Amino acid sequence: MHILDTFLIHYLHRFDSHCFAVELHGKSYTIGEGEPLFKVIIHEDIPKKALLSSTSLALGEAYMKKTMEIEGDLFTALKCILSQSSQFSLDKGALGRILYTPESKSNQKKQVSSHYDLGNDFYQLWLDPSMSYSCAYFKNDTDTLEQAQHNKVHYILEKLHLQKGMTLLDIGCGWGYLLIEAAKKYGIKGYGCTLSQEQWKKGQERIQQMGLTGQVQIDLVDYRDLLQEGKTYDRIVSVGMLEHVGRSNYGLYMETASHLLKEGGLFLLHYISGHDESVSNPWMRKYIFPGGTLPSLREIISRAYDNEFQVLDVESLRRHYYKTLMCWYHNFQGVRDQVIASRGEEFARMWDLYLCGCAVSFYIGNIDLHQILMTKGTNNDLPMTRWY
């Protein structure tokens, strides 16, 4: 056996909790005991230095470039490997440029644009018609993705206890679906902000089409600049945006939300959460969400109380996000040939890995999704029950 083969097979044995086969240079190997659940076919050597620097980056790039293929179900393969993520190698010193990027306004705008400005035509291929790109809420097993996204938005709006004439700020409003639904059902005046040119453009079209000009407004502006407008709001919501704020800005983010919210107002924060305060997925940061950071629940709760908020309710929707991502993954498989034709196979394999890998991560509990409902100061006029 070649010395590089010896190292690679030896390295893969650290993931032996589940049995899988490996084909390398025409030879077959078995990792773990039992019947293999899938086969890893390696066409080209994966450098030892790359594996020791970052397992996720080395294996992720090998999969993208098709120098490594999975024979069998991708979800099963990723579940077996990601459930043993404690065995991953990570040299944070060597990957500092990826793991620790500047969290300035200008840099974060570029980072957000790199993902969300891939084009509305791309996202329309596999998202549901509402263009919701965050965790859905499945009330029933039979709910379609479109129904579940509708459920999610109205579940949030119910938690916010909106009344006609209230003002609602959506920080990181995406394509504007939540604001439009809130305006239609509750008669609120909605304001949204985004850093994505493509989302802003689509949002303007939707507002016009729904006849909501003057009632719903979306601006291309950083949340940090909202204070300059001198407005305050009855309610604030933020869905899937906190992940782009950056750890050094959490205090500023919560302070800004507090200043923008009227006394007694409600703030609902919906975000992907990590179990701790580490930064540990260089593949995701390099290829999918540059600068993306998952806040832990404890640090956000702590920041809330530092900024005049009282937490009313905390809910995990982890399993709902697993199901959402599986819907997106299956939708993506249905349009994969179109994506390859326009963007290349490496891009398509990258998104296969991203969507399926995230589904696995939520399924096995490596990451979570939390909704935190909080009030600024004390508000005793709200119902004392959950909103189901």
Side-chain angles (χ1 to χ4, degrees), residues 221-358:
V221 62
D222 191 290
Y223 75 94
R224 286 164 281 202
D225 295 328
L226 294 177
L227 289 174
Q228 298 172 15
E229 299 178 5
K231 297 178 184 176
T232 54
Y233 300 86
D234 297 299
R235 302 286 189 262
I236 298 178
V237 66
S238 186
V239 178
M241 182 269 184
L242 187 62
E243 301 89 325
H244 302 288
V245 166
R247 185 152 279 119
S248 68
N249 291 320
Y250 294 156
L252 175 62
Y253 178 86
M254 297 301 286
E255 182 184 358
T256 300
S258 179
H259 286 317
L260 291 167
L261 188 62
K262 293 178 181 177
E263 192 67 28
L266 289 172
F267 176 26
L268 187 138
L269 187 55
H270 168 125
Y271 71 100
I272 302 171
S273 55
H275 295 315
D276 55 31
E277 293 73 47
S278 66
V279 180
S280 58
N281 193 331
W283 182 83
M284 187 72 78
R285 274 193 152 229
K286 182 175 180 179
Y287 290 102
I288 307 297
F289 290 115
T293 305
L294 302 186
S296 69
L297 182 60
R298 62 188 169 212
E299 66 184 324
I300 297 305
I301 296 292
S302 176
R303 295 293 191 183
Y305 281 102
D306 287 343
N307 287 280
E308 300 184 67
F309 290 114
Q310 293 195 19
V311 175
L312 299 181
D313 189 65
V314 179
E315 183 174 8
S316 168
L317 299 182
R318 175 181 62 81
R319 290 178 295 173
H320 292 266
Y321 216 165
Y322 149 67
K323 192 164 182 177
T324 303
L325 277 150
M326 287 309 292
C327 288
W328 289 342
Y329 176 66
H330 289 308
N331 286 352
F332 188 79
Q333 297 313 298
V335 298
R336 202 169 178 277
D337 288 345
Q338 290 175 251
V339 174
I340 290 173
S342 61
R343 298 172 186 267
E345 187 172 9
E346 185 171 317
F347 179 90
R349 290 177 70 84
M350 179 177 75
W351 276 75
D352 289 340
L353 199 56
Y354 157 53
L355 294 172
C356 194
C358 284

Side-chain angles (χ1 to χ4, degrees), residues 109-118 123 288-290:
K109 181 171 175 56
K110 290 177 189 173
Q111 291 168 347
V112 167
S113 293
S114 73
H115 187 86
Y116 296 97
D117 285 341
L118 286 171
Y123 287 105
I288 307 297
F289 290 115

